Amino acid sequence: MPRSVLNNTVIPLLRQLTKKLGPQQAKNELRWMADHVRKAIPTKHTAEHATSARLWRDQPAPSAEETEAASKRFSSVQWAWLRQAVHDRVETNKPLQYILGTQPFGNASLLTRAPVLIPRWETEEWVLKLSDMIRAENTGLLNILDACTGSGCVALGLACALPRESVHITGVDVSHDACDLAIENLLRNKKAKQAVEFQRLDLNEQGVASELKSRGMWDMVVANPPYVTPNEYAELDPDVKDWEDVRALVPGDPMDVDQSGLSFVVRLAQLARELGLADGESTNLPRLVVEIGGAHQVDGARQAMHDNGFNLTEVWKDMAGIDRVVLGYHKT
């Protein structure tokens, strides 16, 4: 096959991806890239120009089959995008989600952009489960704090899954990049506009609980906090370490002495208590919901909740069978 023809096939791109990802994942990612570029850079004009050229040369217009086949071929601009995307994926370890720039999350549609943490399926799973739980209780308007909001996926996932006027969610994050992206994502999801707000806030600062309490009563704190241990961080793939904000992964400094990865979970339990969530009447809904990294963090997370007045805890596993979420309740 001539080199010029070979260069305009997906085979070289697939080979590059396969070396990094293995054959099946390479096929999947290249297919997703191809689907994306077809939508992002339409080629309808190409078929129209071809038809005009044939008619100008007094040739028959292309058949429907020829037109359809032409529409499936990549334009030169699309090929250039694909080659760059594969180069970025292979040579710079750029995550696919950053290459595509968007990702669904439950009923929400999210923009993804470095260095903001990429939403994971494990988080999506428990957010949808929690929304089902809230819907079943039908308690009226809930005021929810989404700590470490990142892209806004938890807040927007809940708001888009629940009936209007059933929740008001405030998403906070210490990162300017995260807050900017979360606000952009709020604008993309019209159903959530009246139910969600985002702001930059450092939950480790003194007086933050008083500031939050000045806004009214809170019913629940939810979070996908940093919980990766320093040892785990050292073993992460460059797809993660080179691109995603370390503050969204590891609590405190990556070289800190916190080998449990739970220092921020402890802080959230303290904050929830300071917000009054360990007091008052008991309900069937959790007051504190935090994602964790697995069974090795269950006891520590539960202890932090018990130490701060949440006298009943529950653990949810994800679809892979890994302990993924710890929920704290206040029961009287």
Side-chain angles (χ1 to χ4, degrees):
M1 181 181 292
R3 182 177 299 274
S4 60
V5 176
L6 180 63
N7 285 343
N8 278 342
T9 73
V10 298
I11 301 302
L13 303 182
L14 186 59
R15 286 174 179 163
Q16 293 177 57
L17 286 171
T18 299
K19 290 180 181 179
K20 173 179 174 62
L21 305 171
Q24 189 56 54
Q25 186 64 17
K27 290 178 183 177
N28 289 337
E29 292 203 9
L30 187 56
R31 183 177 71 251
W32 293 326
M33 290 179 189
D35 290 343
H36 173 80
V37 76
R38 284 194 174 100
K39 295 175 183 176
I41 311 174
T43 58
K44 182 179 179 182
H45 65 281
T46 302
E48 291 174 348
H49 289 171
T51 299
S52 299
R54 291 182 69 162
L55 293 175
W56 180 259
R57 294 193 298 268
D58 199 24
Q59 296 175 340
S63 66
E65 291 78 9
E66 290 174 319
T67 301
E68 182 180 1
S71 68
K72 293 181 180 178
R73 289 194 291 269
F74 293 123
S75 69
S76 58
V77 176
Q78 289 174 325
W79 275 116
W81 187 94
L82 272 176
R83 292 192 188 98
Q84 185 63 51
V86 170
H87 173 273
D88 290 346
R89 187 75 181 98
V90 174
E91 301 299 332
T92 72
N93 301 301
K94 188 173 185 178
L96 177 69
Q97 294 89 337
Y98 289 154
I99 292 173
L100 301 183
T102 60
Q103 179 175 321
F105 189 92
N107 295 328
S109 172
L110 303 177
L111 297 172
T112 52
R113 183 169 65 235
V116 182
L117 188 74
I118 296 168
R120 266 64 169 183
W121 66 264
E122 298 94 333
T123 307
E124 180 181 15
E125 182 187 7
W126 70 254
V127 166
L128 294 177
K129 185 174 181 178
L130 181 62
S131 68
D132 290 341
M133 193 178 188
I134 294 172
R135 188 185 302 107
E137 286 300 311
N138 192 24
T139 58
L141 181 66
L142 292 175
N143 197 20
I144 300 175
L145 177 67
D146 172 26
C148 314
T149 195
S151 64
C153 61
V154 172
L156 295 171
L158 286 172
C160 289
L162 290 166
R164 293 181 185 275
E165 301 183 359
S166 63
V167 292
H168 183 272
I169 308 172
T170 302
V172 299
D173 203 290
V174 70
S175 164
H176 289 283
D177 290 322
C179 291
D180 289 345
L181 183 59
I183 291 170
E184 289 181 49
N185 281 326
L186 178 58
L187 298 175
R188 286 174 59 87
N189 292 274
K190 295 181 179 179
K191 182 180 178 182
K193 283 186 178 180
Q194 302 303 316
V196 177
E197 61 178 316
F198 295 110
Q199 72 168 91
R200 184 186 176 277
L201 191 65
D202 185 349
L203 296 179
N204 283 315
E205 287 185 352
Q206 287 189 342
V208 69
S210 297
E211 179 183 345
L212 289 169
K213 287 172 71 174
S214 69
R215 305 180 188 183
M217 299 291 293
W218 295 91
D219 299 295
M220 187 184 299
V221 173
V222 298
N224 175 18
Y227 54 73
V228 176
T229 70
N231 288 340
E232 290 169 340
Y233 184 77
E235 299 299 321
L236 289 177
D237 291 336
D239 303 44
V240 177
K241 290 173 66 175
D242 292 353
W243 289 89
E244 295 183 271
D245 190 343
V246 64
R247 294 175 298 175
L249 296 164
V250 182
D253 190 294
M255 304 309 294
D256 199 358
V257 293
D258 174 24
Q259 293 297 325
S260 71
L262 290 174
S263 60
F264 206 85
V265 173
V266 172
R267 172 61 190 134
L268 289 174
Q270 295 169 344
L271 177 64
R273 173 180 52 80
E274 293 167 358
L275 294 177
L277 294 180
D279 302 318
E281 297 180 1
S282 62
T283 70
N284 292 327
L285 290 175
R287 301 293 186 89
L288 177 59
V289 182
V290 294
E291 183 172 320
I292 60 170
H296 62 292
Q297 293 182 326
V298 167
D299 289 344
R302 276 183 149 162
Q303 189 63 53
M305 292 184 184
H306 283 295
D307 290 346
N308 285 280
F310 300 97
N311 52 15
L312 178 66
T313 57
E314 180 182 8
V315 178
W316 286 350
K317 293 181 181 293
D318 62 26
M319 288 188 293
I322 296 172
D323 292 333
R324 185 58 62 191
V325 186
V326 180
L327 304 92
Y329 297 79
H330 171 66
K331 296 291 185 179
T332 56

